[in-house]
Amino acid sequence: MRAPRRVVRWAMNLEGQVQAYADRLGRPIIVFDVDFNVIAFSVHDRDVDHARLAIILSHRGSSRARDSIREYRVGQADGPVRIPPLDGGKTRHVAPVRHEGHLVGYISATIPDEAPDAELVEDDAIREARAQIGMILAAMALGNREDEDRALRLVTALLDGDPDQRARAADELLTGGLISPVPHYTVITLSPPPGADAGSATLRLALDRALASIPVFPSLKAVGTVIDGEAVLVVPYEIDRERLAALLALPAFTSLRAGVGGAHSPLAAAHRSRREARIAARGASIDPTRGPVVHWDELGLDRVLLQLPLERITMSDLPAPVQRLLDEQSGPDLARTLEAYLDCGCDAQRTAQELHVHRSTLYYRLDRVRAITDVDLSDGLVRRELHAALRVATLAGLR
């Protein structure tokens, strides 16, 4: 969800305080919240610390850095704690940031190479600057929690409520300026495969990164939240498909799968897009060949097949010719040949090119398929039955 005006104002104040703090130290700094997300950083023309740059670009401290901060008990310290170099970086002083006695974040200051053993001597101005940063972080955290709670309430009502609840939620989202008014809306879901747990922090980070990176029209506002182990985005714009795929290719998010629903109007009808997005995400989880991002408008017949109780389908539910084919020792290879042949409209030359085999090899394999299945591949009804059954076998995990 886009940051409301008061949070943007706090962020602008924070940037000034952070730069002033860094200027007093004469060193580059990074400000983290208590979950080690990057909140702000200073700008230095000669900053060539590649580890620091990697943290800024990833918007999150590395796992080793987080472990070191905990190991050196920075959260319990009164002032900066010296942390040895990590991941090819530099020695750092990391100080806790508090507001009214509560830990709200950390400030990490780079120590120059020429003074790796230097002690950081703090004066009253530096301590006061850190207190000001603490106050801003506390206010931002409070505002973010309030906004997250509101987004959870409204998006849940929009997608899971009855018709009256959906209409009221849509009206509040629009009149409150949480989402832009446009002709149609699309829902995107981000979730781990069934049986896996990505963790709420990972889902929240993926949600924030998606809202910030995938819109084609960044001036339009979108809204998102995490509901029952699933990040849900309601977007009023066309998304950048390549950016969404690149996001899920990042190491932190490779366990997630994205489903993109169709476009629906009005906003109160977004629950339909969410249903489609979940079906598409199921396709991404079941069939890895589709990739981590699946769009409803590209599913084809799988729109129907993915709604079947696939986990209850067994080999005995498949047509007898397909059962015989898959039971053969060479069945998996022959099934791939048959499926490619059917995918190519029974065009032998094109199929041979797709499989990178000679046409005589293809004809031999098809003769084997005919002998095992005992069917006529020239019969259109037979081809339809075989094609659909092979696809069901794939989605059900029987191949």
Side-chain angles (χ1 to χ4, degrees), residues 256-331:
L256 299 181
R257 299 294 179 267
V260 182
H264 289 269
S265 180
L267 178 57
H271 64 285
R272 298 173 184 168
S273 184
R274 197 251 193 121
R275 170 183 169 272
E276 296 164 354
R278 282 179 156 177
I279 294 170
R282 188 184 189 199
S285 297
I286 290 176
D287 184 6
T289 63
R290 283 192 175 276
V293 180
V294 174
H295 298 257
W296 170 259
D297 58 11
E298 297 174 351
L299 278 176
L301 181 62
D302 281 1
R303 288 185 179 188
V304 176
L305 300 182
L306 286 167
Q307 297 181 63
L308 296 175
L310 295 169
E311 66 281 356
R312 294 167 53 187
I313 292 177
T314 66
M315 189 72 76
S316 62
D317 295 318
L318 301 177
V322 175
Q323 289 185 48
R324 290 194 293 270
L325 182 63
L326 296 179
D327 281 341
E328 283 289 316
Q329 184 174 0
S330 58

Side-chain angles (χ1 to χ4, degrees), residues 33 143 153 204 234 239 380:
D33 64 13
R153 174 177 62 84
R204 168 56 60 184
V234 184
I239 67 166

Side-chain angles (χ1 to χ4, degrees), residues 56-73:
I56 291 171
L57 292 176
S58 68
H59 300 282
R60 190 163 175 81
S62 70
S63 59
R64 288 190 62 196
R66 298 196 298 270
D67 291 343
S68 293
I69 289 174
R70 293 190 180 105
E71 178 186 350
Y72 283 84
R73 301 178 63 83

Side-chain angles (χ1 to χ4, degrees), residues 204-250:
R204 168 56 60 184
L205 182 60
L207 175 71
D208 292 343
R209 295 286 293 276
L211 288 172
S213 65
I214 68 173
V216 173
F217 306 106
S219 61
L220 297 179
K221 292 184 180 179
V223 66
T225 190
V226 175
I227 306 175
D228 298 330
E230 177 183 75
V232 182
L233 299 78
V234 184
V235 296
Y237 42 60
E238 181 183 354
I239 67 166
D240 189 314
R241 297 185 175 206
E242 292 183 0
R243 287 183 183 175
L244 180 56
L247 176 65
L248 295 194
L250 296 175

Side-chain angles (χ1 to χ4, degrees), residues 55-130:
I55 288 173
I56 291 171
L57 292 176
S58 68
H59 300 282
R60 190 163 175 81
S62 70
S63 59
R64 288 190 62 196
R66 298 196 298 270
D67 291 343
S68 293
I69 289 174
R70 293 190 180 105
E71 178 186 350
Y72 283 84
R73 301 178 63 83
V74 176
Q76 289 76 44
D78 293 327
V81 176
R82 185 175 179 276
I83 305 291
L86 293 171
D87 301 324
K90 300 180 179 181
T91 303
R92 303 180 189 279
H93 280 135
V94 182
V97 181
R98 295 188 177 88
H99 178 66
E100 295 182 348
H102 298 287
L103 182 70
V104 293
Y106 304 92
I107 294 179
S108 174
T110 302
I111 298 177
D113 290 333
E114 60 270 19
D117 298 321
E119 294 299 324
L120 181 58
V121 179
E122 292 194 316
D123 55 26
D124 290 341
I126 289 178
R127 284 188 286 270
E128 175 61 23
R130 191 160 69 243

Side-chain angles (χ1 to χ4, degrees), residues 325-326 328-341 355 357 362 365-366 368-369 372 390 399:
L325 182 63
L326 296 179
E328 283 289 316
Q329 184 174 0
S330 58
D333 290 334
L334 292 176
R336 280 193 290 273
T337 297
L338 173 59
E339 190 167 42
Y341 181 61
L355 295 175
V357 299
L362 173 63
R365 293 180 184 177
L366 291 176
R368 290 277 296 134
V369 169
I372 294 169
L390 287 172
R399 292 177 60 182

